[in-house]
Amino acid sequence: MSRPLPLSNLRVLDVSQVMAGPFSCMLLADMGADVIKVEPPKVGDQTRRAMGFRLQGDDSAGFLALNRNKRSVELDLKNEAGLRAFYELVKTADVLVENYRPGVAKRLGIDYETLKEIHPRLIYASISGFGQTGPWAMRPGFDLIAQAMSGILSVTGQAGAAPAKNSVPVGDLGAGLFTAYAVLSAVIGRGDDGPGQYIDVSLFEAALGLSIWEVAEYWGTGKVPQPLGSANRMSAPYQAFMASDRHFVFGAANQKLWALLCEVLDRPDLLADPRFATNAERMRHRDELESALSTTLRTRKADAWIAALLEAGVPAGPILTYQEALASEQAAARDMILDMEHPVEGKIPQLGFPVKLRGTPQQLRRPPPLLGEHTEEIMREIGCDIGKLGQQGAFGR
């Protein structure tokens, strides 16, 4: 007999839009939580219409990527009847995640102080650009702004070049990951009969919190970190190099690997060079090291170097496009592309689960919901008169 998913006893209200909140709630949903996406009538999460590419229906590929395993209910939180219905829904929930700008939830009457009076065990997570306190709290927050103001943008790209944003939205996704981590910590801390609590997450702090090496370099040396291209702040050589045909990467991050690298390259002179004797010296002479290695690496094709380095035990690999990465045998072996049936789109691809639970494997239980698809179902579950609520404008007019 199969065991239930680990979070199947949790109900989560996803009162968020775009990326950080929906991503966090999807992580919880993938682990079995009953995630109810509370959306404004007729428009829904702005990602449905405004973000990314469309396939067949109205919802964008961006929305489809962030909202599987959820149900959707339309509620007008600016309408008295809609707000009453929302309060009834809150009474049944364990967790609420929202990402309004600070102050908006209070104006709507759905802030933590209001809702904890209705449901003292509620765990309430707010995601914002800069957190609920501090001089920047009221600034609007996007991933780009978080990358810029956390320092990430200052160290990304090549030295002397124009600022280069990290294409993967580390502020947004990092905030989503930290929110899921905080929510589960609060659930455990709440126990069987304890109170809930408020969780304050920001894109700025998520981006800064992920800047481990950069902050360590600054505190350790007193020097402001600068862009290094593909290089690593704590090890050398550990970056992309050009072979005779294309770039590839390898990492000789300790003395053993450095010695093996010199052996593969047939460069005993590098091993004997005092400029490269230790990792600290190699980092100090990074430009000279790169130049010395490049003269040899450009003599063979990337695949040949990769094969030789891997055989010797030196980590190395090609630089793949997303098309190549998704089509790789490793992605296939790890089930990183899953097909899901959608009522409008038909069969759509989904990224697989990035962690695997062998005892309670995750499932694609629900496709990303259509706007308001489960409104009637959910209202009936919590004992609301859907006809009366509809007449009063709870679901929009």
Side-chain angles (χ1 to χ4, degrees), residues 67-87:
N67 290 284
R68 69 186 179 208
N69 286 335
K70 302 179 185 180
R71 298 190 286 171
S72 169
V73 58
E74 287 180 284
L75 280 178
D76 185 353
L77 300 181
K78 297 178 181 179
N79 172 277
E80 185 179 344
L83 192 57
R84 287 200 312 272
F86 180 74
Y87 289 160

Side-chain angles (χ1 to χ4, degrees), residues 47-304:
T47 312
R48 285 185 181 273
R49 307 291 187 263
M51 312 291 284
F53 311 98
R54 280 176 179 70
L55 303 178
Q56 303 294 328
D58 292 331
D59 293 336
S60 72
F63 178 85
L64 298 177
L66 288 163
N67 290 284
R68 69 186 179 208
N69 286 335
K70 302 179 185 180
R71 298 190 286 171
S72 169
V73 58
E74 287 180 284
L75 280 178
D76 185 353
L77 300 181
K78 297 178 181 179
N79 172 277
E80 185 179 344
L83 192 57
R84 287 200 312 272
F86 180 74
Y87 289 160
E88 291 301 312
L89 190 55
V90 167
K91 293 176 184 178
T92 73
D94 297 281
V95 177
L96 182 149
V97 178
E98 61 89 7
N99 64 349
Y100 293 109
R101 194 184 299 189
V104 173
K106 184 174 180 61
R107 290 201 299 271
L108 290 172
I110 64 168
D111 56 301
Y112 177 63
E113 296 303 320
T114 299
L115 298 187
K116 78 172 182 178
E117 296 300 319
I118 298 171
H119 185 11
R121 281 175 54 78
L122 182 69
I123 293 164
Y124 187 114
S126 293
I127 305 173
S128 60
F130 296 94
Q132 304 296 310
T133 60
W136 295 350
M138 297 308 296
R139 292 191 180 203
F142 289 112
D143 177 81
L144 172 64
I145 312 303
Q147 288 197 37
M149 297 182 71
S150 67
I152 286 179
L153 206 64
S154 75
V155 298
T156 307
Q158 298 291 339
K165 180 178 72 69
N166 191 321
S167 182
V168 175
V170 292
D172 268 327
L173 296 179
L177 284 165
F178 284 131
T179 300
Y181 151 74
V183 162
L184 295 179
S185 298
V187 168
I188 294 169
R190 183 182 67 172
D192 293 332
D193 54 7
Q197 63 174 298
Y198 183 74
I199 296 167
D200 182 359
V201 181
S202 78
L203 274 63
F204 169 73
E205 288 159 280
L208 194 55
L210 292 171
S211 301
I212 301 297
W213 284 154
E214 288 71 23
V215 172
E217 179 185 6
Y218 172 59
W219 283 340
T221 68
K223 297 178 181 178
V224 176
Q226 298 298 313
L228 291 176
S230 64
N232 184 275
R233 298 194 175 276
M234 297 296 166
S235 303
Y238 189 103
Q239 64 190 86
F241 283 92
M242 185 67 187
S244 64
D245 57 340
R246 60 191 174 99
H247 283 91
F248 72 106
V249 296
F250 63 82
N254 56 47
Q255 285 301 109
K256 178 182 177 181
L257 292 174
W258 168 241
L260 290 172
L261 173 67
C262 292
E263 183 178 332
V264 172
L265 270 55
D266 194 21
R267 292 290 305 271
D269 59 305
L270 298 181
L271 197 59
D273 193 318
R275 295 175 301 170
F276 312 138
T278 66
N279 183 61
E281 289 299 321
R282 291 192 292 275
M283 288 172 58
R284 189 172 296 115
H285 298 95
R286 194 189 304 272
D287 290 343
E288 299 100 306
L289 175 64
E290 182 175 352
S291 177
L293 291 172
S294 292
T295 58
T296 299
L297 292 169
R298 287 177 180 271
T299 63
R300 299 176 69 184
K301 290 186 176 182
D303 287 346

